[in-house]
Amino acid sequence: MIVSDLPTPALIVERADLSANIALMAERLPGNRLRPHVKAHKCTALAHLQDAAGHHGFTCATPREVVGMAAAGLGADLLLANETLDPARLRAMADLEVPVTVAVDSPQTVAAAAEHGITRVVIDVNVGLPRCGVDAAGAGAIADLARARGLEVRGVMGYEGHAQPLPDRALRQQVTDEAMVLLAKAAQDVGGDLVSAGGTGNHDLNTVATEIQAGSYALMDSQYAGVVGFANALTVLATVVSTNAAGGYAVADLGLKSLGMDHGNPTTAAGAVWFCSDEHTTFAPAEPVAIGEKLRFVPAHVDPTIAYHDALWVVDGQDVLERWEVDLRGW
Ligand SMILES: Cc1ncc(COP(=O)(O)O)c(C=O)c1O
């Protein structure tokens, strides 16, 4: 099969770029210095490559990702870096025959974990991103509560998501450092070995975390392209379905339902993107394009883009090598 045979819109992964990204990160953060975040790709076939590169612990965002990783034989050390109260999902993770660690940040999440069979937790600390996490000053008390319920407290996590996309490296460092002062303080109060934080944007700036939770680096997207030097391995293949020469635009068959749009429009070497609607992207071709032509677009945000699709098509230029199921979708 060749790329132009694929039904569109389709996710395309350049195998050589993916391999180079995985190798580069493994060189920078070898072994358990990196706990790859699987939410970026939701694909156990890809996670197997990260495992083969030496990273055996993984970060997950949903119980479904935890269960799917364990089923794929990738359950050496799974961290759910997220709060959950759902008894059935907690029980599904607790019943796995692999070590699962769950983030908690409140008496309620500690109680839910303890009541539904979870045995290991990390204390999730708010390091400046207004999302989950207890204030650093309150982390020790949550750890005490967890230990009193018989849970093993492995340490702390804190996600400095507000630092990741900052294009100015010095500012990214400063915001990271400010966040890690909070996490280091919490780590002292909590105890345990793990200080889990960071992402693709500051993987080489965060020196406080014992492990970095980067995920996007493997495939990348246009938002991170200006921030870190990994290759763009992921594109969305689309077909030109209409042209309007007088209007100076053409239309391709990808849109809001095949692209994560929270970081903006996709980009393409074929021209400037004007806008996306449900199933269309209108762009101004730099050179005339023909109806039926297949073009590649780089999504602005990899994680939600992948979550819309069933499969990743692994390619080498025009040759389709493999189809990988996006098998960790859902909650
Ligand atoms: C908890 C957590 N850790 C780490 C990351 C970093 O992921 P990425 O490398 O894709 O920026 C994220 C991304 O949102 C996250 O939510």
Side-chain angles (χ1 to χ4, degrees):
M1 206 196 251
I2 58 171
V3 166
S4 55
D5 294 334
L6 293 173
T8 57
L11 292 179
I12 304 291
V13 177
E14 277 293 346
R15 180 61 200 243
D17 292 331
L18 170 65
S19 299
N21 289 345
I22 290 175
L24 177 60
M25 189 59 103
E27 193 184 305
R28 289 185 180 172
L29 296 175
N32 62 11
R33 282 282 293 127
L34 181 74
R35 184 185 284 276
H37 208 320
V38 301
K39 80 183 174 70
H41 52 70
K42 289 186 176 284
C43 174
T44 56
L46 200 159
H48 273 292
L49 300 183
Q50 295 172 310
D51 181 66
H55 318 296
H56 308 309
F58 286 90
T59 311
C60 300
T62 65
R64 166 75 200 112
E65 290 171 5
V66 171
V67 171
M69 287 291 285
L74 291 164
D77 183 5
L78 297 172
L79 169 63
L80 179 68
N82 205 356
E83 281 64 15
T84 183
L85 293 154
D86 184 310
R89 289 174 180 161
L90 286 164
R91 183 55 64 184
M93 292 188 292
D95 286 348
L96 297 170
E97 284 169 6
V98 299
V100 173
T101 303
V102 168
V104 293
D105 69 352
S106 63
Q108 292 87 340
T109 44
V110 168
E115 279 160 27
H116 302 296
I118 297 293
T119 57
R120 299 172 192 81
V121 295
V122 290
I123 310 303
D124 189 1
V125 180
N126 182 339
V127 293
L129 177 72
R131 216 172 65 176
C132 295
V134 60
D135 287 347
I142 299 294
D144 292 345
L145 213 54
R147 290 193 177 101
R149 298 290 304 248
L151 298 170
E152 178 193 344
V153 178
R154 294 189 65 195
V156 293
M157 68 155 274
Y159 179 52
E160 69 282 33
H162 53 306
Q164 303 303 325
L166 298 171
D168 179 65
R169 189 173 163 86
L171 182 60
R172 207 152 77 242
Q173 178 78 68
Q174 185 194 322
V175 174
T176 300
D177 291 347
E178 286 164 6
M180 289 305 106
V181 167
L182 298 173
L183 195 59
K185 153 88 179 90
Q188 268 182 356
D189 295 348
V190 165
D193 297 332
L194 285 191
V195 181
S196 196
T200 298
N202 69 352
H203 70 277
D204 54 349
L205 299 176
N206 186 330
T207 50
V208 170
T210 57
E211 57 177 40
I212 300 294
Q213 300 179 350
S216 299
Y217 75 94
L219 294 172
M220 290 290 285
D221 54 32
S222 64
Q223 195 198 41
Y224 265 142
V227 177
V228 288
F230 290 89
N232 209 113
L234 179 78
T235 49
V236 185
L237 186 76
T239 305
V240 176
V241 289
S242 186
T243 59
N244 188 318
Y249 65 87
V251 182
D253 67 346
L254 76 172
L256 304 176
K257 292 176 179 170
S258 51
L259 290 162
M261 293 291 295
D262 59 317
H263 292 170
N265 287 337
T267 53
T268 175
V273 170
W274 285 4
F275 68 96
C276 300
S277 47
D278 279 15
E279 304 291 359
H280 303 100
T281 291
T282 298
F283 66 102
E287 303 289 334
V289 291
I291 292 173
E293 202 172 322
K294 303 261 168 111
L295 301 173
R296 298 188 190 197
F297 289 74
V298 180
H301 195 181
V302 52
D303 318 45
T305 298
I306 289 187
Y308 281 123
H309 293 258
D310 295 331
L312 294 167
W313 295 95
V314 184
V315 307
D316 175 9
Q318 293 308 312
D319 295 327
V320 178
L321 307 177
E322 272 181 278
R323 179 187 186 276
W324 290 346
E325 192 76 25
V326 183
D327 55 345
L328 300 177
R329 292 161 75 201
W331 291 268

